Amino acid sequence: MKLIFATANQHKAIEAQAILGQKVQLILPADLGYTQEIPETGNTLESNAMQKARTIWNIWGMDCFADDTGLEVLALDGAPGVFSARYAGANATMQANLAKLLTQLKGKADRRARFRSVIALILKGTEYLFEGCVSGHILEIPQGDHGFGYDPLFVPQGYGCSFALMSPQEKNAISHRGRALEQLANFLSLR
Ligand code: IMP
């Protein structure tokens, strides 16, 4: 089956293709000549994911999905959450976001956090939501250079190293988006 994945993030596209497998042909908006940024102006992961999927559905009327992810830190009352991409300000670099997170957590003993991913699917015009979470903690110093985003600071529960030190396969097997994509794959009967 063909599915548009409403993202411009190549890392996410590679992760999704690996998890959904060969039965799905993923198409990115860029493959269809769409070069604008897909708007995400909601206050929740659910509303942002659905807004991105609806944007694609409204343009092409093709089956599609979008994800939105947030890092939720307990001692920061769930921040940066839905604002994870612009934690240090609009158009903030990832280095700036990581630096802000470390500053906000300076001196705090409780470094528990979780990644939460929501996937919005529109299939033949009907809307569905899926969610995946992974709990863990935030390091004091970034570790590793695989992956993207907050990966160098996040250690999943039960593991001794950050996501950024894991292979893509190791990360996909336990990650928030991996878990949400697994649910999508099950729903689409790809397993
Ligand atoms: P979005 O889902 O692309 O809007 O991501 C929101 C923010 O979370 C961005 O700053 C991403 O870099 C970050 N993020 C999303 N997924 C991951 C991940 O798997 N690891 C680390 N950071 C992530």
Side-chain angles (χ1 to χ4, degrees), residues 12 68-69 84-85 94 115 148-151 171 176-177:
K12 287 187 181 181
D68 203 41
T69 295
S84 294
M94 215 46 232
F115 273 116
F148 67 101
Y150 293 91
D151 279 349
K171 179 185 168 188
H176 44 300
R177 198 168 24 260

Side-chain angles (χ1 to χ4, degrees), residues 6 8 21 24 41 46 48 51 74 115 117 123 126 175 186 190-191:
V24 170
T41 54
E46 286 79 2
N48 272 345
Q51 182 183 19
L74 209 66
F115 273 116
S117 261
L123 201 62
T126 304
S175 81
N186 289 338
L190 300 172
R191 294 283 179 270

Side-chain angles (χ1 to χ4, degrees), residues 12-188:
K12 287 187 181 181
I14 292 166
E15 280 184 12
Q17 188 70 71
I19 291 167
L20 296 176
Q22 297 308 312
K23 290 184 191 161
V24 170
Q25 183 192 341
L26 280 189
I27 301 165
L28 300 188
D31 300 333
L32 302 170
Y34 187 94
T35 50
Q36 295 147 261
E37 211 165 303
I38 304 173
E40 41 181 312
T41 54
N43 288 323
T44 62
L45 299 177
E46 286 79 2
S47 61
N48 272 345
M50 197 53 83
Q51 182 183 19
K52 288 189 270 189
R54 284 180 188 150
T55 299
I56 297 305
W57 174 262
N58 289 337
I59 298 173
W60 289 289
M62 274 178 69
D63 294 338
C64 59
F65 70 96
D67 86 309
D68 203 41
T69 295
L71 176 67
E72 300 173 338
V73 181
L74 209 66
L76 302 178
D77 296 325
V82 72
F83 302 109
S84 294
R86 24 193 174 123
Y87 191 34
N91 306 317
T93 61
M94 215 46 232
Q95 280 90 335
N97 288 333
L98 295 180
K100 175 159 181 188
L101 180 60
L102 288 177
T103 305
Q104 297 295 315
L105 281 179
K106 205 168 180 143
K108 292 203 196 291
D110 182 358
R111 304 183 73 90
R112 287 174 293 168
R114 68 173 186 175
F115 273 116
R116 193 163 72 88
S117 261
V118 172
I119 288 180
L121 168 72
I122 304 184
L123 201 62
K124 299 183 177 65
T126 304
E127 299 178 346
Y128 305 88
L129 286 171
F130 306 91
E131 186 190 275
C133 288
V134 58
S135 298
H137 70 269
I138 303 297
L139 289 169
E140 292 185 6
I141 299 170
Q143 203 183 68
D145 54 13
H146 294 173
F148 67 101
Y150 293 91
D151 279 349
L153 283 181
F154 184 81
V155 177
Q157 203 165 22
Y159 290 77
C161 71
S162 78
F163 266 162
L165 280 175
M166 295 184 176
S167 69
Q169 291 82 350
E170 281 175 303
K171 179 185 168 188
N172 287 349
I174 56 166
S175 81
H176 44 300
R177 198 168 24 260
R179 286 173 174 163
L181 284 164
E182 282 295 341
Q183 289 192 39
L184 175 65
N186 289 338
F187 177 80
L188 296 171

